[in-house]
Amino acid sequence: MAEVHIIGQIVGASGFPQHSLFCKWGVHTGGAWKLLSGAVEGQTQVDNPQNEDMAFWSHPIDIHFATKGLQGWPKLHLQVWHQDSFGRNELYGYSFLHIPSSPGTHTLLSPTWRPLGTWQEQISQIFVGGGPQLKSPNLIYGGADRYRLQTTAMGQVHLELTVLLRNFDQFGVEC
């Protein structure tokens, strides 16, 4: 089987309204993909930068897949959360990106968004915190339902990923 090895890191995040951020992440693939090694989901530590606009996580990613075809190429989905001084967590944004299909090292920026909710929810969010969240995380990388959501742009997540391809030509898989 053809193999894809993804090595890299979630560097950090910038452009968010508050500091003290962490990220939950996961990789979604199609049915023809088999995980050989590595974790397909995880969470970074909380970083609270004092004098910088960017939260640094340097969270490692090391995933090895085998595949029979290109359908269902891996997608990375991200959730950025803010932790306040009382330890409460508030969702700051969702994002997803396709893992690059070309071999080599890639520096990527993944813009984030979050649902707006009704005007009552928006006012409540200002005074109480929290806010609307997706019922199903499949909407982050899924189909047409995501495009019906009313959202607002948040910050962006910085990633550095290296993609290694092995045996694609030997098994007749063309990139």
Side-chain angles (χ1 to χ4, degrees), residues 71-113:
Q71 190 170 5
W73 191 267
K75 300 175 199 171
L76 182 65
H77 54 92
L78 306 161
Q79 296 179 16
V80 177
W81 292 76
H82 168 256
Q83 188 174 73
D84 67 12
S85 59
F86 299 108
R88 297 176 299 192
N89 298 328
E90 176 184 1
L91 176 72
Y92 261 20
Y94 296 104
S95 182
F96 91 96
L97 59 99
H98 293 274
I99 301 294
S101 58
S102 60
T105 300
H106 306 273
T107 300
L108 305 167
L109 290 177
S110 186
T112 63
W113 53 271

Side-chain angles (χ1 to χ4, degrees), residues 2 12 21 59 61 63 65 71 74 83 105 133 148 161 165 171:
L21 303 172
H59 184 80
I61 294 177
I63 310 168
F65 289 107
Q71 190 170 5
Q83 188 174 73
T105 300
Q133 297 179 18
R148 296 190 331 201
L161 299 177
L165 305 179
F171 289 96

Side-chain angles (χ1 to χ4, degrees), residues 139 142-149:
L139 286 175
D145 288 338
R146 184 182 69 218
Y147 299 106
R148 296 190 331 201
L149 295 172

Side-chain angles (χ1 to χ4, degrees), residues 11 27 58 87 94 106 113 134 140:
V11 176
V27 176
S58 300
Y94 296 104
H106 306 273
W113 53 271
L134 299 177
I140 299 171

Side-chain angles (χ1 to χ4, degrees), residues 1-79:
M1 293 174 69
E3 298 177 24
V4 176
H5 200 152
I6 303 158
I7 305 168
Q9 65 177 331
I10 302 174
V11 176
S14 63
F16 287 91
Q18 299 285 328
H19 296 298
S20 190
L21 303 172
F22 67 96
C23 180
K24 295 180 181 181
W25 62 274
V27 176
H28 178 77
T29 60
W33 292 76
K34 178 183 173 187
L35 178 67
L36 297 177
S37 67
V40 292
E41 62 183 16
Q43 178 176 316
T44 69
Q45 80 279 2
V46 177
D47 184 32
N48 190 4
Q50 300 302 313
N51 298 323
E52 297 183 32
D53 279 343
M54 185 163 171
F56 287 96
W57 299 314
S58 300
H59 184 80
I61 294 177
D62 189 353
I63 310 168
H64 192 178
F65 289 107
T67 183
K68 297 177 183 176
L70 293 178
Q71 190 170 5
W73 191 267
K75 300 175 199 171
L76 182 65
H77 54 92
L78 306 161
Q79 296 179 16

